[in-house]
Every structure is written in C-alpha cells, then in structure tokens.
Amino acid sequence: MKHLSKGMLLLALICLSFGVPPKKIKVLFFGDSITQAGVQPNGYIVKLDSIIKQSHLPDSIELTGAGIGGNKVYDLYLRMEEDVLKKNPDVVVIYVGINDVWHKATSGTGTDPDKYEKFYRAIIKKLQEKNIKVLLCTPSVIGERNDNSNQQDGDLNQYSHIIRSMAKDLSLPVCDLHKAFADYLNANNPSNLEKGILTVDRVHLNDKGNLFVAMEMWKALQNMMK
Amino acid sequence: MKHLSKGMLLLALICLSFGVPPKKIKVLFFGDSITQAGVQPNGYIVKLDSIIKQSHLPDSIELTGAGIGGNKVYDLYLRMEEDVLKKNPDVVVIYVGINDVWHKATSGTGTDPDKYEKFYRAIIKKLQEKNIKVLLCTPSVIGERNDNSNQQDGDLNQYSHIIRSMAKDLSLPVCDLHKAFADYLNANNPSNLEKGILTVDRVHLNDKGNLFVAMEMWKALQNMMK
Amino acid sequence: MKHLSKGMLLLALICLSFGVPPKKIKVLFFGDSITQAGVQPNGYIVKLDSIIKQSHLPDSIELTGAGIGGNKVYDLYLRMEEDVLKKNPDVVVIYVGINDVWHKATSGTGTDPDKYEKFYRAIIKKLQEKNIKVLLCTPSVIGERNDNSNQQDGDLNQYSHIIRSMAKDLSLPVCDLHKAFADYLNANNPSNLEKGILTVDRVHLNDKGNLFVAMEMWKALQNMMK
Amino acid sequence: MKHLSKGMLLLALICLSFGVPPKKIKVLFFGDSITQAGVQPNGYIVKLDSIIKQSHLPDSIELTGAGIGGNKVYDLYLRMEEDVLKKNPDVVVIYVGINDVWHKATSGTGTDPDKYEKFYRAIIKKLQEKNIKVLLCTPSVIGERNDNSNQQDGDLNQYSHIIRSMAKDLSLPVCDLHKAFADYLNANNPSNLEKGILTVDRVHLNDKGNLFVAMEMWKALQNMMK
C-alpha cells in the first residue's frame, strides 16, 4: 500500500491544485452481519466515513460495505467475484471469523481452522492478482468477559493467531480487533459482564462498539497509507 | 450427454475402423475419502474400470479419481481449478455430502443445507461453462441400519432431496446412491446391523460396497451415453 | 396397573354407593416444555382432563403436570424426589427425549443413547420401588416432514427403539407417540411441511397437537386400566 | 475436615502406642478416565500412595479409585450410591468436568454449565449428608497450549470458575488443577505445544502429569487435615 497510496494521495493533491476531481480510493469492507450492520446509521462504516470527513484529508476515500449475515470465510470466497471484484475496490478489508467459530456450537456448521486458513489465503490471492490491497482483521468477540471464560475464547484466540501468522507470512497489515477488544475490556469491564460494553448481544456492536471498530479500522488504514 | 456421447462413440468406432487411436472419454470422480479409496486396488473406480474393460465397448473410457479425505462440498469448489478443470475431463461425477452431514456431529464443522446447495450449484456452473458433462450422486450412508435409525439419516435424506431437486431443476442425471443403498439394505440387512454389509465402518466401502457403487455408477454413466 | 386399577375402580364404585368420597387415581406427567405447556389452557393435560370428565368414568382420575422446559432424561432423574415421589402419584407418564436429541445440534449438550437408556431405567426403577405404575412415551417430533428428512429423524427413531425395547424388557406399557405422529403426518401432511400440522414450531404442540397427544395418552392409560 | 482429621490422627497415634491397628482414613477419587487410569501403575493415585507412604505419617490413609472413562458430572451422580456411598469413604475427591466440556465438540453431548453446577451440588449434598468430607477439583486441561488458544479453554475457564465459586459458597476446599496446570505450562511449555508436557494426548496424563496431579492432590489433602 505504501507506494500506491502515497502516489494516490500525491495525485489527489495534484488534481486538486489543478481543479481536476481527484480519483477516490475505494475501500470495501467484506464480512458478515457485523459488517452488514456497519452501513446502517451508527454502523462502523458510517462512523468511519464521518471520521474521515472530519480529518484534514481531501475527500478521497470512499467506503463500501459488503457484509452478509451468517457468512463464514468460504461464503466470502464464493461471492467475491460478484460482490468484490466487480466493484473494483482499491482496498479490501476482510473481517470474518465470528461465524466460523460460533456456528460450531450453535448449529454444528463452523469451519475447521485449517480450512479457515485455506479459504482466507485463497481470498487474499484472488485480491492480490487484481492488485487490490488487503487489510486482514482478527475476529472481535463472542462474549465480552475479559478472563478468557467465554465459551469460544479458545477458538477466537486460535483463529486470531492464524490471521496474524498469515499476515506475517504474506507481509500484510492486520487490524487486530481481537487484541484491541481484549485490551479495552480488561480496562473497561470491571464486573466481567458478558455483553453491554461494546456489544448488544455478545457479538453485534452497540454504538460504542461501532465507534471503537471504526477507530481501529481508521488507525490500520492510515498505517497502510503511510 | 446424449448427442456428444453418441457422436464420440461413433467417432471412436470410425477411428478404430481406420486404425486411428480413438479419443478417450475422460471421466473424473470428484469427491471425498470414499473416492480417494476408489482408486486403490478393489476401489470402486478400479472395479468400474474392470467392468468397462469387460464390456463390449471399445476401450474409450478413461477413469480418474480426484478424491481427498475429509472433503466437503466447499472443499471441492476450492480445488476444482487445479484438480478438475486443468485435467480437461469430458464427464465429472460429483460424489460429496457425507462429511457435510457427518462433521456436524463429530467436530461441529458440517455444512448447512442451503450452503451445501449453493456450493454444489457453483461447481456445476463452472463445469458446464467448460462444456463438461456432470453426473450428480446422492450421498451413500453413514450407518447401514435400514429403518432410518442411523443418527444422520434425517440429514442424508434431506441432502439427497436437495441433489435430486437440483438435478431436476437443471435437467441433469443423478446416480441415486442413497436410494440404491437403502433398497439394498432393506433386502440384505435382516439383522439391521450398522456396518459390515456394504461398509467396513458405517461409511467407507468394503469390497462388496465398492462393487455395488461401481455398478450403480456404470448404470448411470450408460444412461448418460444413450 | 391391571390389578391395582381394577381394584381401585371397584373401590371407587363401592365408595360411591355408600356416599364415601372415592380415592382419586393420581396420574403425573413428567417431562419437558411440552408437558410444562400441557397444563396451560388447551394444553394436552387440560384436554385429557376434559376427555376424562366427559367419559362415563366416576371422577376418579386426577392429572398433574411436572414438566420443565429444556429438561432431558437426567434432569428428570435429578428432580424426581421433589417433583414426583413427594406427590405420591399412582401413575407416572414419562415423556422425555426431545431435548436429549435436539440439543446435540443446537448447543452440543444432548444425551448419548446409552446414557439416555441408563437414566430412563434408573427413573423407572425408583418409581417401581414405590409401587408407582409407569407409562413410557416415545418422543414425538422435531420437524413434521413425513419422509424421514427432518434433521433429527435418525436419532428420534433410534431413541424410540430404545424406549420400545426397554418397555418390552420390563413388561411396561408404551404410549408410542413417535409412531402415532408419523402415521398421522403420513396421512395429513401432503405438502410435507416441517411445521403447522400438529406443532407450531416443529416441536411444541398447537391445539390440534395437544388434542392428539391427549387422545393418545388416554388410549394408553385406558389400556393400562383394563 | 479440621476437627475430624485431627481427632482421627490423634486416635491413630493413640492406637499405635497401644499396638491397636489404627483406623485408616479412606480417600476415594471419583471421576472419569483420568481417574480410572490413576490406579494403574504410574497413575496419579498410585503415585500419591507412594508419596504418602514416604511421608512421616502413620500408615493411616487408604486411597481408592472410582473413575470410569467418559463420565460426566451426571454419570457420577447416577452411580454414587453403588460406587461411593457403599464404600464408606471418609473423604471424596471429585475430579470431573473434562468430558462435560469436551463432548460438546466431539459428539454434541456435553453438559450445559448450569446443569454442571446443579449435579455437582447434588453430589456434594449427598456426600455431606453422610458426613463425608469433600475435596473439589477444577478440570485440568484439554490441550496444553499456554495462551488460552486451545479450543475448550473458554469453557474450562468458565467451569473452573463455577467450581471455585461453589467451593467458596459452601466453604469447601478446592484442588485448583486448572490453575496449577496453567501456571506449570506457562513456565514449562516455551514452544506452546498442545501435548507432551503433562499429557500424552492433550487430556490424559503422562508420567510427569500423574506425578504433578498426585502432588497437587497431596497438598490439598494435607491442607484439609491441618
């Protein structure tokens, strides 16, 4: 992203100087119900859009949501042609994993960790073949207790490890939501509640949660553009 | 298949008359551990090959196995470029579903029925785009009791319905293994044993089971070529 | 029940002749949410009470519900001292098994078939030690499709087998709800719907379902009293 | 235990002085396959017996194993009359929970946390009614990775909390195996392996694991006797 983005921002500035409308950087968020809700009022994508508009950047970043409820990593892979590649994004943020872990317990249809990695890598490969920049995200939370006593904490930690080591292996940036949530909940959930801090129902974000994710995403996106 | 195959067989006969080596019809079996074992000695693909060689056909059908243990429908989709399309088969037999159902109970990582259909249709579509003929199979068995009292019978019946109605919807042929096994076990499992009739372990085929599947496949393939 | 009930009915008649209030036969229904709902208006226990009141019997049968939502066979065993034995019933109807099967898929906390039988037998033993008559029930349905294509049909068939062979082994009567539902749905569910015939939600009984169960229970109870 | 044990030890000493054989304190270990293996050569109960024999105590503690493979908390409850109460132990060590958690993922037949606590409390109550002293244990491990990334770590942490707060509520001693394993693995599993440190297969104890558990049990039992 380094070179591209610097170049793009430079181009944007040049264009602005000459009154030419700047090319927008298109960022697409690819995920599940959390991302589907992200484009609703107060959703994390809407909030991120506000943050960007309030910053000193030229209006050069356009955000799109491509989230579908219940999606796991292989569902993203199946629909990436239609829902991602056809939209020609410059950057794709992949935020998936909650259902891959959660559905093991709720319907017996989660995703094994090796398959999770395999499909995740296949998505990345297809994006990179189109010169699309990729930002990986570790999965946020299923339950907000801060002492690793939520039922899925073991898996969420494991699947987060997988994301981090793929990122390292492929030299890709990560928005480490799982760590960010853990740090926040350690500091801000003294009664060790299972929901109500950043989520409404242990998984889906409340207002504070949407803002929190928006800010984490913004930090990660800015790092990509440095 | 009707026109193509008649033409191909005719061509094969003409070629034979003139001493030209006939073009082989390449049939690829795409599946899980049952198909992986199908290419072993006594496996169903090896047995089918013998059956074909013993028939009065010119040696015009070449069989290939592409089975990997533990595979579900989405695993097939992920590897179809490498393992199927690159091999330029004329016919692909899709035999998958056991793990999609079974893994719900054994590791919480089965496949929801709607996703099963979605990926199955995506595989068919990609094959048809390359003018490859497709033979669908209903999943055989997980347990051989003949009174619908094997744990997964409900799902196997449902997933078989899905295959049959997709086939009807798309005017595609089906090798209805699930029905064939049920009929056979009704007649030949008087003690209602859970294994040992056509399988060694409730799932994987014994010698008789491999021969049984080979013959069912052969009937279905011959029907396609009529 | 044969001897006891004949005697009791006789006693009831004698008592009636002399103006002495007859001893009521106390029937307790021991189960899960279906039985918990059975004591609600239109519930199967309330309906059975109406049926009994409309019959030509002296008013000698008193019905009690002891159902708790989410209960499995081991939950019944744990609470039988408090909820059953202390109430001194003459007859206990055990109607449990839906959650033992269902919770495998919805929360990973169902009951293995061997444990199901073990706890069921332990309940029966404790009741018989107190000279309480026992009526076993096979579990009704989880989904109303009539072709064994509901996800849990395999297990429901298996657990029903277990009930029937325990009953045979112990010479106990069975109210075979699973078979009764299957027969009814074969005749009355031509569109093969998964709910809405005898249930509201695939499991819990609608008005027709409550009446249906009441009538099946009544047939079984009358057989016990012959 | 305080008063009883002091008295018993005193009695033992007096008896010894007068050549009367001392009454042995009978400690029974009640659990699953780990405890079943505990009475094998090198098992934790055998090792604990050696430790006790090597200590300066009079030979006054007799150890018995009552472990059965695959047992969950409700299995213990079902068999406690036969396997525990009839043996008149002075102390019962309850070590159960691994299967309650593990079987959720491997067969869909684990135990919900509220039921786990309910049955655990019912066992304690029955033991206390017979004046039997109780030592609770938190469940050891399912996987030895030390960063809470084993699949069942969330549940193991939660079920350990349940044990600890029951113990606090009932003023009972705890052998906190889960914490002891975690501390040991933090210090002694630098490569973050999933097995081979204290277990052979992520769950069942190797020699070092059996010794480790024996020593933890011994510390807890000595505390009870102070």
mmCIF file of all heavy atoms in Angstrom, chain A residues 104 145 147-155 157-158 161 192, chain D residues 104 145 147-155 157-158 161 192:
data_model
loop_
_atom_site.group_PDB
_atom_site.id
_atom_site.type_symbol
_atom_site.label_atom_id
_atom_site.label_comp_id
_atom_site.label_asym_id
_atom_site.label_seq_id
_atom_site.Cartn_x
_atom_site.Cartn_y
_atom_site.Cartn_z
ATOM 1 N N LYS A 104 -19.983 -23.609 15.234
ATOM 2 C CA LYS A 104 -19.654 -24.948 15.749
ATOM 3 C C LYS A 104 -20.619 -25.318 16.871
ATOM 4 O O LYS A 104 -21.118 -26.445 16.931
ATOM 5 C CB LYS A 104 -18.225 -24.964 16.318
ATOM 6 C CG LYS A 104 -17.136 -24.852 15.294
ATOM 7 C CD LYS A 104 -15.768 -25.052 15.968
ATOM 8 C CE LYS A 104 -14.639 -24.733 14.995
ATOM 9 N NZ LYS A 104 -13.312 -24.921 15.609
ATOM 10 N N ARG A 145 -16.626 -11.196 28.407
ATOM 11 C CA ARG A 145 -15.882 -11.431 29.650
ATOM 12 C C ARG A 145 -14.392 -11.336 29.357
ATOM 13 O O ARG A 145 -13.933 -11.760 28.287
ATOM 14 C CB ARG A 145 -16.261 -12.784 30.252
ATOM 15 C CG ARG A 145 -17.699 -12.748 30.823
ATOM 16 C CD ARG A 145 -17.967 -13.882 31.795
ATOM 17 N NE ARG A 145 -17.903 -15.178 31.160
ATOM 18 C CZ ARG A 145 -18.941 -15.993 30.946
ATOM 19 N NH1 ARG A 145 -20.163 -15.624 31.322
ATOM 20 N NH2 ARG A 145 -18.778 -17.167 30.366
ATOM 21 N N ASP A 147 -11.664 -12.572 30.983
ATOM 22 C CA ASP A 147 -10.737 -13.523 31.593
ATOM 23 C C ASP A 147 -10.696 -14.849 30.827
ATOM 24 O O ASP A 147 -10.452 -15.914 31.398
ATOM 25 C CB ASP A 147 -11.132 -13.776 33.051
ATOM 26 C CG ASP A 147 -12.579 -14.239 33.158
ATOM 27 O OD1 ASP A 147 -13.281 -14.248 32.125
ATOM 28 O OD2 ASP A 147 -13.002 -14.606 34.264
ATOM 29 N N ASN A 148 -10.938 -14.745 29.538
ATOM 30 C CA ASN A 148 -10.906 -15.937 28.685
ATOM 31 C C ASN A 148 -11.872 -17.022 29.150
ATOM 32 O O ASN A 148 -11.578 -18.213 29.021
ATOM 33 C CB ASN A 148 -9.481 -16.508 28.615
ATOM 34 C CG ASN A 148 -8.636 -15.764 27.608
ATOM 35 O OD1 ASN A 148 -8.969 -15.731 26.427
ATOM 36 N ND2 ASN A 148 -7.558 -15.152 28.062
ATOM 37 N N SER A 149 -13.024 -16.620 29.643
ATOM 38 C CA SER A 149 -14.009 -17.601 30.076
ATOM 39 C C SER A 149 -15.277 -17.579 29.228
ATOM 40 O O SER A 149 -16.273 -18.199 29.581
ATOM 41 C CB SER A 149 -14.350 -17.395 31.558
ATOM 42 O OG SER A 149 -15.134 -16.244 31.732
ATOM 43 N N ASN A 150 -15.257 -16.862 28.107
ATOM 44 C CA ASN A 150 -16.345 -17.002 27.139
ATOM 45 C C ASN A 150 -16.133 -18.307 26.381
ATOM 46 O O ASN A 150 -14.992 -18.654 26.049
ATOM 47 C CB ASN A 150 -16.333 -15.833 26.144
ATOM 48 C CG ASN A 150 -16.370 -14.482 26.833
ATOM 49 O OD1 ASN A 150 -17.383 -14.090 27.389
ATOM 50 N ND2 ASN A 150 -15.231 -13.781 26.819
ATOM 51 N N GLN A 151 -17.246 -19.010 26.084
ATOM 52 C CA GLN A 151 -17.115 -20.364 25.534
ATOM 53 C C GLN A 151 -16.178 -20.442 24.327
ATOM 54 O O GLN A 151 -15.413 -21.396 24.194
ATOM 55 C CB GLN A 151 -18.493 -20.926 25.142
ATOM 56 C CG GLN A 151 -18.422 -22.417 24.777
ATOM 57 C CD GLN A 151 -19.753 -23.012 24.347
ATOM 58 O OE1 GLN A 151 -20.806 -22.401 24.502
ATOM 59 N NE2 GLN A 151 -19.718 -24.212 23.809
ATOM 60 N N GLN A 152 -16.231 -19.446 23.455
ATOM 61 C CA GLN A 152 -15.458 -19.526 22.205
ATOM 62 C C GLN A 152 -14.082 -18.863 22.301
ATOM 63 O O GLN A 152 -13.387 -18.730 21.290
ATOM 64 C CB GLN A 152 -16.254 -18.889 21.053
ATOM 65 C CG GLN A 152 -17.300 -19.791 20.432
ATOM 66 C CD GLN A 152 -18.543 -19.912 21.272
ATOM 67 O OE1 GLN A 152 -18.827 -19.058 22.111
ATOM 68 N NE2 GLN A 152 -19.318 -20.971 21.090
ATOM 69 N N ASP A 153 -13.668 -18.449 23.485
ATOM 70 C CA ASP A 153 -12.393 -17.732 23.590
ATOM 71 C C ASP A 153 -11.203 -18.545 23.082
ATOM 72 O O ASP A 153 -10.295 -17.995 22.456
ATOM 73 C CB ASP A 153 -12.149 -17.287 25.033
ATOM 74 C CG ASP A 153 -12.893 -15.993 25.362
ATOM 75 O OD1 ASP A 153 -13.353 -15.323 24.420
ATOM 76 O OD2 ASP A 153 -13.021 -15.657 26.550
ATOM 77 N N GLY A 154 -11.209 -19.841 23.362
ATOM 78 C CA GLY A 154 -10.109 -20.684 22.891
ATOM 79 C C GLY A 154 -9.973 -20.597 21.377
ATOM 80 O O GLY A 154 -8.892 -20.319 20.844
ATOM 81 N N ASP A 155 -11.072 -20.815 20.695
ATOM 82 C CA ASP A 155 -11.045 -20.755 19.235
ATOM 83 C C ASP A 155 -10.741 -19.354 18.716
ATOM 84 O O ASP A 155 -9.984 -19.195 17.754
ATOM 85 C CB ASP A 155 -12.388 -21.231 18.663
ATOM 86 C CG ASP A 155 -12.347 -22.694 18.240
ATOM 87 O OD1 ASP A 155 -11.253 -23.302 18.268
ATOM 88 O OD2 ASP A 155 -13.396 -23.239 17.867
ATOM 89 N N ASN A 157 -8.990 -17.077 20.069
ATOM 90 C CA ASN A 157 -7.546 -16.850 20.191
ATOM 91 C C ASN A 157 -6.774 -17.601 19.110
ATOM 92 O O ASN A 157 -5.848 -17.061 18.503
ATOM 93 C CB ASN A 157 -7.066 -17.287 21.587
ATOM 94 C CG ASN A 157 -7.474 -16.297 22.667
ATOM 95 O OD1 ASN A 157 -7.456 -15.088 22.450
ATOM 96 N ND2 ASN A 157 -7.870 -16.798 23.824
ATOM 97 N N GLN A 158 -7.207 -18.857 18.861
ATOM 98 C CA GLN A 158 -6.510 -19.653 17.851
ATOM 99 C C GLN A 158 -6.678 -19.059 16.447
ATOM 100 O O GLN A 158 -5.719 -18.935 15.689
ATOM 101 C CB GLN A 158 -7.038 -21.086 17.871
ATOM 102 C CG GLN A 158 -6.236 -22.031 16.995
ATOM 103 C CD GLN A 158 -6.854 -23.416 16.885
ATOM 104 O OE1 GLN A 158 -7.898 -23.698 17.459
ATOM 105 N NE2 GLN A 158 -6.206 -24.290 16.130
ATOM 106 N N HIS A 161 -4.584 -16.060 16.010
ATOM 107 C CA HIS A 161 -3.198 -16.462 15.730
ATOM 108 C C HIS A 161 -3.022 -16.761 14.240
ATOM 109 O O HIS A 161 -2.025 -16.389 13.638
ATOM 110 C CB HIS A 161 -2.835 -17.750 16.479
ATOM 111 C CG HIS A 161 -2.554 -17.561 17.930
ATOM 112 N ND1 HIS A 161 -2.139 -16.375 18.471
ATOM 113 C CD2 HIS A 161 -2.627 -18.438 18.974
ATOM 114 C CE1 HIS A 161 -1.964 -16.515 19.778
ATOM 115 N NE2 HIS A 161 -2.270 -17.760 20.110
ATOM 116 N N ASN A 192 -16.951 -7.843 34.723
ATOM 117 C CA ASN A 192 -16.816 -9.029 33.876
ATOM 118 C C ASN A 192 -18.152 -9.459 33.269
ATOM 119 O O ASN A 192 -18.483 -10.646 33.246
ATOM 120 C CB ASN A 192 -16.185 -10.180 34.676
ATOM 121 C CG ASN A 192 -15.386 -11.111 33.774
ATOM 122 O OD1 ASN A 192 -15.081 -10.763 32.627
ATOM 123 N ND2 ASN A 192 -15.077 -12.298 34.260
ATOM 124 N N LYS D 104 -19.012 -31.649 24.029
ATOM 125 C CA LYS D 104 -19.770 -30.686 23.215
ATOM 126 C C LYS D 104 -19.269 -30.721 21.782
ATOM 127 O O LYS D 104 -20.052 -30.744 20.841
ATOM 128 C CB LYS D 104 -19.587 -29.264 23.764
ATOM 129 C CG LYS D 104 -20.268 -28.989 25.073
ATOM 130 C CD LYS D 104 -20.146 -27.503 25.431
ATOM 131 C CE LYS D 104 -20.604 -27.262 26.863
ATOM 132 N NZ LYS D 104 -20.502 -25.830 27.228
ATOM 133 N N ARG D 145 -1.570 -25.845 25.224
ATOM 134 C CA ARG D 145 -1.074 -24.517 24.834
ATOM 135 C C ARG D 145 -1.361 -23.545 25.975
ATOM 136 O O ARG D 145 -2.390 -23.637 26.641
ATOM 137 C CB ARG D 145 -1.715 -24.065 23.517
ATOM 138 C CG ARG D 145 -1.194 -24.904 22.328
ATOM 139 C CD ARG D 145 -1.440 -24.216 20.985
ATOM 140 N NE ARG D 145 -2.856 -24.109 20.709
ATOM 141 C CZ ARG D 145 -3.519 -24.782 19.753
ATOM 142 N NH1 ARG D 145 -2.869 -25.633 18.959
ATOM 143 N NH2 ARG D 145 -4.793 -24.595 19.568
ATOM 144 N N ASP D 147 -1.606 -20.147 26.030
ATOM 145 C CA ASP D 147 -2.077 -18.785 25.742
ATOM 146 C C ASP D 147 -3.583 -18.766 25.503
ATOM 147 O O ASP D 147 -4.090 -17.949 24.748
ATOM 148 C CB ASP D 147 -1.342 -18.237 24.522
ATOM 149 C CG ASP D 147 -1.473 -19.157 23.315
ATOM 150 O OD1 ASP D 147 -2.037 -20.274 23.469
ATOM 151 O OD2 ASP D 147 -1.047 -18.772 22.220
ATOM 152 N N ASN D 148 -4.282 -19.674 26.153
ATOM 153 C CA ASN D 148 -5.730 -19.733 26.018
ATOM 154 C C ASN D 148 -6.190 -19.902 24.573
ATOM 155 O O ASN D 148 -7.227 -19.377 24.180
ATOM 156 C CB ASN D 148 -6.385 -18.474 26.626
ATOM 157 C CG ASN D 148 -6.495 -18.593 28.130
ATOM 158 O OD1 ASN D 148 -7.154 -19.506 28.636
ATOM 159 N ND2 ASN D 148 -5.841 -17.704 28.851
ATOM 160 N N SER D 149 -5.427 -20.655 23.797
ATOM 161 C CA SER D 149 -5.826 -20.876 22.412
ATOM 162 C C SER D 149 -6.195 -22.330 22.135
ATOM 163 O O SER D 149 -6.348 -22.719 20.987
ATOM 164 C CB SER D 149 -4.722 -20.415 21.446
ATOM 165 O OG SER D 149 -3.623 -21.290 21.495
ATOM 166 N N ASN D 150 -6.334 -23.150 23.187
ATOM 167 C CA ASN D 150 -6.909 -24.479 22.986
ATOM 168 C C ASN D 150 -8.432 -24.314 22.846
ATOM 169 O O ASN D 150 -9.035 -23.509 23.557
ATOM 170 C CB ASN D 150 -6.613 -25.372 24.196
ATOM 171 C CG ASN D 150 -5.133 -25.462 24.494
ATOM 172 O OD1 ASN D 150 -4.381 -26.096 23.770
ATOM 173 N ND2 ASN D 150 -4.704 -24.791 25.578
ATOM 174 N N GLN D 151 -9.029 -25.119 21.960
ATOM 175 C CA GLN D 151 -10.438 -24.886 21.622
ATOM 176 C C GLN D 151 -11.352 -24.772 22.847
ATOM 177 O O GLN D 151 -12.266 -23.960 22.889
ATOM 178 C CB GLN D 151 -10.966 -26.007 20.689
ATOM 179 C CG GLN D 151 -12.356 -25.671 20.129
ATOM 180 C CD GLN D 151 -12.948 -26.759 19.247
ATOM 181 O OE1 GLN D 151 -12.266 -27.689 18.846
ATOM 182 N NE2 GLN D 151 -14.225 -26.642 18.930
ATOM 183 N N GLN D 152 -11.104 -25.618 23.860
ATOM 184 C CA GLN D 152 -12.020 -25.648 25.007
ATOM 185 C C GLN D 152 -11.589 -24.736 26.156
ATOM 186 O O GLN D 152 -12.200 -24.784 27.230
ATOM 187 C CB GLN D 152 -12.158 -27.093 25.518
ATOM 188 C CG GLN D 152 -13.120 -27.957 24.731
ATOM 189 C CD GLN D 152 -12.566 -28.451 23.429
ATOM 190 O OE1 GLN D 152 -11.353 -28.479 23.236
ATOM 191 N NE2 GLN D 152 -13.425 -28.839 22.514
ATOM 192 N N ASP D 153 -10.591 -23.888 25.951
ATOM 193 C CA ASP D 153 -10.106 -23.073 27.066
ATOM 194 C C ASP D 153 -11.183 -22.161 27.649
ATOM 195 O O ASP D 153 -11.243 -21.969 28.865
ATOM 196 C CB ASP D 153 -8.894 -22.245 26.626
ATOM 197 C CG ASP D 153 -7.607 -23.067 26.681
ATOM 198 O OD1 ASP D 153 -7.618 -24.155 27.301
ATOM 199 O OD2 ASP D 153 -6.599 -22.637 26.107
ATOM 200 N N GLY D 154 -12.023 -21.603 26.787
ATOM 201 C CA GLY D 154 -13.083 -20.731 27.292
ATOM 202 C C GLY D 154 -13.962 -21.468 28.286
ATOM 203 O O GLY D 154 -14.195 -21.008 29.410
ATOM 204 N N ASP D 155 -14.440 -22.627 27.881
ATOM 205 C CA ASP D 155 -15.294 -23.417 28.766
ATOM 206 C C ASP D 155 -14.548 -23.909 30.004
ATOM 207 O O ASP D 155 -15.092 -23.879 31.109
ATOM 208 C CB ASP D 155 -15.871 -24.623 28.005
ATOM 209 C CG ASP D 155 -17.281 -24.352 27.500
ATOM 210 O OD1 ASP D 155 -17.856 -23.296 27.838
ATOM 211 O OD2 ASP D 155 -17.827 -25.195 26.775
ATOM 212 N N ASN D 157 -12.130 -22.517 31.540
ATOM 213 C CA ASN D 157 -12.025 -21.390 32.474
ATOM 214 C C ASN D 157 -13.369 -21.142 33.169
ATOM 215 O O ASN D 157 -13.429 -20.915 34.375
ATOM 216 C CB ASN D 157 -11.564 -20.133 31.737
ATOM 217 C CG ASN D 157 -10.081 -20.180 31.401
ATOM 218 O OD1 ASN D 157 -9.274 -20.674 32.191
ATOM 219 N ND2 ASN D 157 -9.711 -19.701 30.226
ATOM 220 N N GLN D 158 -14.453 -21.222 32.378
ATOM 221 C CA GLN D 158 -15.774 -20.960 32.956
ATOM 222 C C GLN D 158 -16.158 -22.038 33.981
ATOM 223 O O GLN D 158 -16.626 -21.729 35.075
ATOM 224 C CB GLN D 158 -16.819 -20.910 31.833
ATOM 225 C CG GLN D 158 -18.181 -20.458 32.328
ATOM 226 C CD GLN D 158 -19.265 -20.545 31.274
ATOM 227 O OE1 GLN D 158 -19.010 -20.960 30.147
ATOM 228 N NE2 GLN D 158 -20.476 -20.163 31.637
ATOM 229 N N HIS D 161 -14.317 -21.574 37.132
ATOM 230 C CA HIS D 161 -14.963 -20.519 37.936
ATOM 231 C C HIS D 161 -16.130 -21.093 38.741
ATOM 232 O O HIS D 161 -16.323 -20.753 39.905
ATOM 233 C CB HIS D 161 -15.540 -19.430 37.023
ATOM 234 C CG HIS D 161 -14.536 -18.494 36.451
ATOM 235 N ND1 HIS D 161 -13.329 -18.242 37.047
ATOM 236 C CD2 HIS D 161 -14.567 -17.706 35.334
ATOM 237 C CE1 HIS D 161 -12.662 -17.360 36.320
ATOM 238 N NE2 HIS D 161 -13.391 -17.038 35.275
ATOM 239 N N ASN D 192 4.962 -23.775 23.211
ATOM 240 C CA ASN D 192 3.499 -23.748 23.138
ATOM 241 C C ASN D 192 2.925 -24.981 22.434
ATOM 242 O O ASN D 192 2.029 -24.884 21.601
ATOM 243 C CB ASN D 192 3.034 -22.464 22.430
ATOM 244 C CG ASN D 192 1.657 -22.024 22.929
ATOM 245 O OD1 ASN D 192 1.189 -22.495 23.967
ATOM 246 N ND2 ASN D 192 1.018 -21.157 22.181
#
